[in-house]
Coordinates of all heavy atoms in Angstrom, one line a residue:
M1251 N -237.4 -201.1 36.5 CA -237.7 -200.3 37.6 C -236.5 -199.4 38.0 O -236.7 -198.2 38.3 CB -238.0 -201.2 38.8 CG -238.4 -200.4 40.1 SD -239.8 -199.2 39.9 CE -241.2 -200.4 39.9
R1252 N -235.3 -199.8 37.9 CA -234.2 -199.0 38.3 C -234.1 -197.7 37.5 O -234.0 -196.6 38.1 CB -232.9 -199.8 38.2 CG -231.7 -199.0 38.8 CD -230.4 -199.8 39.0 NE -230.6 -200.7 40.1 CZ -230.5 -202.1 40.0 NH1 -230.3 -202.7 38.9 NH2 -230.6 -202.8 41.1
R1253 N -234.2 -197.8 36.2 CA -234.1 -196.6 35.3 C -235.4 -195.8 35.5 O -235.3 -194.5 35.6 CB -234.0 -197.0 33.9 CG -233.7 -195.8 33.0 CD -233.1 -196.3 31.6 NE -234.0 -197.3 30.9 CZ -234.8 -197.0 30.0 NH1 -235.0 -195.7 29.6 NH2 -235.5 -197.9 29.4
A1254 N -236.6 -196.4 35.6 CA -237.8 -195.6 35.9 C -237.7 -194.9 37.2 O -238.1 -193.7 37.2 CB -239.0 -196.6 35.8
R1255 N -237.3 -195.5 38.2 CA -237.2 -194.9 39.5 C -236.2 -193.7 39.5 O -236.4 -192.7 40.1 CB -236.7 -196.0 40.5 CG -236.7 -195.5 42.0 CD -238.1 -195.1 42.5 NE -238.0 -194.4 43.7 CZ -238.4 -194.9 44.9 NH1 -238.9 -196.1 45.0 NH2 -238.3 -194.1 45.9
Y1256 N -235.1 -193.9 38.7 CA -234.1 -192.9 38.6 C -234.7 -191.6 37.9 O -234.6 -190.5 38.4 CB -232.9 -193.4 37.7 CG -231.9 -192.3 37.4 CD1 -231.0 -191.8 38.5 CD2 -231.7 -191.7 36.2 CE1 -230.1 -190.9 38.2 CE2 -230.8 -190.8 35.9 CZ -230.0 -190.3 36.9 OH -229.0 -189.4 36.7
E1257 N -235.5 -191.8 36.9 CA -236.1 -190.7 36.2 C -237.2 -190.1 37.0 O -237.3 -188.8 37.1 CB -236.7 -191.2 34.9 CG -235.8 -191.6 33.8 CD -234.8 -190.5 33.3 OE1 -235.0 -189.3 33.6 OE2 -233.9 -190.9 32.6
F1258 N -238.0 -190.9 37.8 CA -239.0 -190.3 38.6 C -238.4 -189.5 39.8 O -238.8 -188.4 40.2 CB -239.9 -191.4 39.2 CG -241.1 -191.6 38.2 CD1 -240.9 -192.3 37.0 CD2 -242.4 -191.2 38.5 CE1 -241.9 -192.5 36.1 CE2 -243.4 -191.5 37.7 CZ -243.2 -192.1 36.5
N1259 N -237.3 -190.0 40.4 CA -236.6 -189.3 41.4 C -236.0 -188.0 41.0 O -236.1 -187.0 41.7 CB -235.5 -190.2 42.0 CG -236.0 -191.3 42.9 OD1 -237.2 -191.3 43.3 ND2 -235.2 -192.3 43.2
R1260 N -235.5 -188.0 39.7 CA -235.0 -186.7 39.2 C -236.1 -185.7 39.0 O -235.9 -184.5 39.2 CB -234.3 -187.0 37.8 CG -233.0 -187.7 37.9 CD -232.2 -187.7 36.6 NE -231.7 -186.3 36.4 CZ -232.1 -185.5 35.3 NH1 -232.9 -186.0 34.4 NH2 -231.6 -184.3 35.2
Q1261 N -237.3 -186.1 38.6 CA -238.4 -185.2 38.3 C -239.1 -184.8 39.6 O -239.4 -183.6 39.8 CB -239.4 -185.8 37.4 CG -239.0 -185.9 36.0 CD -238.8 -184.6 35.3 OE1 -239.5 -183.7 35.5 NE2 -237.7 -184.5 34.6
L1262 N -239.3 -185.7 40.5 CA -240.1 -185.4 41.7 C -239.3 -185.0 42.9 O -239.9 -184.5 43.9 CB -240.9 -186.7 42.1 CG -241.8 -187.2 41.0 CD1 -242.5 -188.5 41.4 CD2 -242.9 -186.2 40.6
K1263 N -238.0 -185.1 42.8 CA -237.1 -184.7 44.0 C -237.6 -185.4 45.2 O -238.0 -186.5 45.2 CB -237.0 -183.2 44.1 CG -236.7 -182.5 42.8 CD -235.3 -182.6 42.4 CE -235.0 -181.7 41.2 NZ -234.8 -182.4 40.0
N1264 N -237.7 -184.6 46.3 CA -238.2 -185.2 47.6 C -239.6 -184.7 47.9 O -240.1 -184.9 49.0 CB -237.3 -184.8 48.7 CG -235.9 -185.5 48.6 OD1 -235.8 -186.6 48.2 ND2 -234.9 -184.8 49.0
D1265 N -240.3 -184.1 46.9 CA -241.6 -183.6 47.1 C -242.7 -184.6 47.1 O -243.7 -184.4 47.7 CB -242.0 -182.6 45.9 CG -241.0 -181.4 45.8 OD1 -240.3 -181.1 46.8 OD2 -240.8 -180.9 44.7
V1266 N -242.4 -185.8 46.5 CA -243.4 -186.8 46.5 C -242.8 -188.2 46.9 O -241.7 -188.5 46.4 CB -244.0 -187.0 45.0 CG1 -244.9 -188.1 44.9 CG2 -244.6 -185.6 44.6
A1267 N -243.4 -188.9 47.8 CA -242.9 -190.2 48.2 C -243.3 -191.2 47.1 O -244.4 -191.3 46.6 CB -243.6 -190.6 49.5
V1268 N -242.3 -192.0 46.6 CA -242.5 -193.0 45.6 C -242.3 -194.4 46.1 O -241.2 -194.7 46.7 CB -241.6 -192.7 44.4 CG1 -241.8 -193.8 43.3 CG2 -241.8 -191.3 43.8
V1269 N -243.3 -195.2 46.0 CA -243.2 -196.6 46.4 C -243.0 -197.4 45.1 O -243.8 -197.3 44.2 CB -244.4 -197.1 47.1 CG1 -244.3 -198.6 47.3 CG2 -244.5 -196.4 48.4

Side-chain angles (χ1 to χ4, degrees):
M1251 185 57 79
R1252 187 171 283 121
R1253 187 163 56 98
R1255 186 66 193 251
Y1256 177 72
E1257 294 295 353
F1258 273 71
N1259 286 344
R1260 287 193 71 244
Q1261 287 298 317
L1262 302 175
K1263 310 287 188 249
N1264 292 325
D1265 301 335
V1266 178
V1268 179
V1269 172

